[in-house]
Amino acid sequence: MLEPAAFLAERVDAYDAELTDLRRDIHAHPELSWQEHRTTELIVERLEKAGWQVDRPSTTGLIADLGGDGKDTKVVALRGDMDALPVDDVTTDVWTSTVPGVAHACGHDVHTTALLGAGLALADLHRESPLPGGVRLLFQPAEEVMPGGALHLMSLGALDDVERIFALHCDPTVDVGRVGVRAGSLTSASDVIDVHLSGTGGHTSRPHLTGDLVFALAKVTTELPVILSRRMDPRAGISVVWGKVSAGLAHNVIPAHGSVGGTVRILDSDAWSEVEHVVREVVAEIIAPYGVTAAVDYTRGVPPVSNDETSHQILLATVRDILGERGAVVSAQSLGGEDFGWYQEQVPGSMFRLGVRTPGGPTYDLHQGDLRIDERAVGVGAKVLAAAAHRTLSEPR
């Protein structure tokens, strides 16, 4: 029998046509967050046929287990998200979205199919030689919304007995056949902030007789990002970016109400736990001279994805084993949010970036309706996930 990693790779290759067809099917029938019913049914049917024990604790998404029947058995989890985005698919492939206004513009069709491919290969290996522990597959709904599917699955016991977890995410800036890995923070926390100012209102000819709300709002907009960069450790990588601002309707009227809203992103988990308090404190300090009051609505989103060193080394060794020394590249940090970080709050784990760009081809962007991926990436992702799981189980605690 081949070495486990080689066996798994060979089995993934054997499923290539099936996985390609499935990925195209899922891409053509995208489903928004919490609506992934058809996708769930497809995965359940195939996993049960392959011998996985499938649990459907909610209407969308699923948890599947293989091996690990003994007491005190090591269990490793692999996670793939399933939901699509509310954007139009503007590609011209035969398998373009058939659902108006909905598309797999973040590659979750690839994530789902790669995870299934890993599951099929691991089931074949388990039949040949029992796995040295248990593998759990988490097909997660609703990654694209907050609160998302990670917390939901965790509340249903998805991480019970799990000692380590791995996941992948498409990267259209990396060529197919390569994988981006990184120890430490990979993505940032992503929070939402709205600052609402209130005052008495007045005439623009007499700003000294009223609270100049628009001026105060401008101060919040420009000074909060700057002051936070001095009040928080700069190594935390904090970023405040505004997406909307609203105040007033007339040129000569100082309004009584106004607001500004945006996102707060930060790469450091410890700093994330402090930033809300600091934001509220700084807003109060900024508006103090201007005779207005502030109400800050601060919504914590997702924590940073922070890859622990041991999980990173397992992934790195796996990628080099499957793709060669040049198969692993250092992944750049991103200020995007990803709810895989919630799993890592409970167990160690690592996420890798799956190269999906055709060498020499165009570079697309995520969350855009023209996203196209090189379908060979599905097999690469499946091989890395499956082999990383087996390597984890084979190593001593």
Side-chain angles (χ1 to χ4, degrees):
M1 180 177 168
L2 296 171
E3 289 295 315
F7 180 91
L8 291 168
E10 183 181 81
R11 296 311 303 154
V12 169
D13 287 339
Y15 290 114
D16 179 69
E18 179 184 356
L19 295 176
T20 298
D21 287 344
L22 178 66
R23 181 257 159 181
R24 293 178 178 181
D25 186 0
I26 295 173
H27 189 90
H29 301 89
E31 297 170 300
L32 294 173
S33 302
W34 303 118
Q35 299 176 28
E36 309 92 335
H37 301 286
R38 183 180 184 277
T39 307
T40 299
E41 292 292 343
L42 289 173
I43 301 304
V44 167
E45 180 180 356
R46 190 63 184 90
L47 284 177
E48 288 182 338
K49 183 178 179 181
W52 285 79
Q53 180 181 339
V54 178
D55 180 24
R56 296 184 61 180
S58 62
T59 56
T60 62
L62 63 107
I63 300 169
D65 285 285
L66 182 72
D69 298 328
K71 186 178 180 181
D72 195 34
T73 300
K74 183 187 291 188
V75 178
V76 59
L78 305 175
R79 174 269 205 172
D81 39 12
M82 308 170 71
D83 52 333
L85 285 162
V87 301
D88 287 315
D89 191 337
V90 298
T91 63
T92 57
D93 297 311
V94 175
W95 53 91
T96 191
S97 173
T98 60
V99 184
V102 183
H104 272 294
C106 197
H108 294 192
D109 52 336
V110 176
H111 304 170
T112 298
T113 309
L115 182 56
L116 176 65
L120 297 179
L122 285 164
D124 288 346
L125 177 60
H126 187 58
R127 281 190 289 272
E128 292 288 329
S129 177
L131 296 172
V135 179
R136 180 168 298 159
L137 306 183
L138 308 181
F139 286 87
Q140 180 197 308
E143 187 276 331
E144 296 289 358
V145 296
M146 295 188 294
L151 289 174
H152 175 66
L153 284 188
M154 290 169 65
S155 72
L156 298 172
L159 293 184
D160 290 354
D161 302 319
V162 170
E163 298 186 19
R164 199 170 300 279
I165 186 168
F166 296 98
L168 77 169
H169 199 293
C170 290
D171 189 338
T173 70
V174 176
D175 286 347
V176 68
R178 291 191 169 184
V179 166
V181 294
R182 186 182 190 93
S185 295
L186 180 67
T187 69
S188 76
S190 179
D191 299 342
V192 175
I193 179 176
D194 287 285
V195 180
H196 304 274
L197 299 189
S198 299
T200 58
H203 198 287
T204 57
S205 66
R206 295 181 290 276
H208 59 296
L209 299 180
T210 184
D212 193 346
L213 185 137
V214 173
F215 189 82
L217 192 63
K219 283 289 189 178
V220 171
T221 304
T222 57
E223 292 190 9
L224 179 60
V226 176
I227 295 173
L228 284 178
S229 72
R230 298 301 184 270
R231 295 281 285 272
M232 304 289 293
D233 189 329
R235 293 172 296 181
I238 189 168
S239 171
V240 178
V241 178
W242 305 110
K244 60 179 183 176
V245 61
S246 175
L249 295 172
H251 291 80
N252 60 351
V253 178
I254 296 174
H257 302 283
S259 65
V260 61
T263 58
V264 179
R265 301 175 186 272
I266 194 164
L267 288 165
D268 182 79
S269 295
D270 292 334
W272 183 53
S273 66
E274 303 171 8
V275 67
E276 178 181 353
H277 171 74
V278 178
V279 164
R280 294 181 182 276
E281 188 175 75
V282 170
V283 168
E285 293 170 357
I286 291 171
I287 67 165
Y290 304 112
V292 298
T293 60
V296 178
D297 294 333
Y298 194 101
T299 304
R300 281 165 62 88
V302 295
V305 169
S306 185
N307 298 331
D308 77 282
E309 183 63 31
T310 299
S311 300
H312 167 70
Q313 291 298 330
I314 291 172
L315 266 182
L316 182 60
T318 299
V319 172
R320 287 175 172 169
D321 191 25
I322 294 171
L323 302 176
E325 288 294 321
R326 299 186 62 188
V329 298
V330 177
S331 184
Q333 290 178 309
S334 166
L335 291 184
E338 161 59 71
D339 74 354
F340 183 71
W342 285 121
Y343 299 109
Q344 294 175 313
E345 294 273 293
Q346 188 166 326
V347 298
S350 187
M351 170 177 277
F352 64 90
R353 298 292 198 185
L354 178 66
V356 298
R357 180 178 62 190
T358 299
T363 299
Y364 296 98
D365 197 4
L366 298 174
H367 286 218
Q368 300 299 307
D370 65 345
L371 175 68
R372 300 189 73 202
I373 64 101
D374 189 313
E375 292 180 311
R376 292 174 292 178
V378 172
V380 174
K383 292 173 185 178
V384 173
L385 286 173
H390 192 274
R391 183 183 292 270
T392 301
L393 296 177
S394 299
E395 293 186 351
R397 281 190 171 97

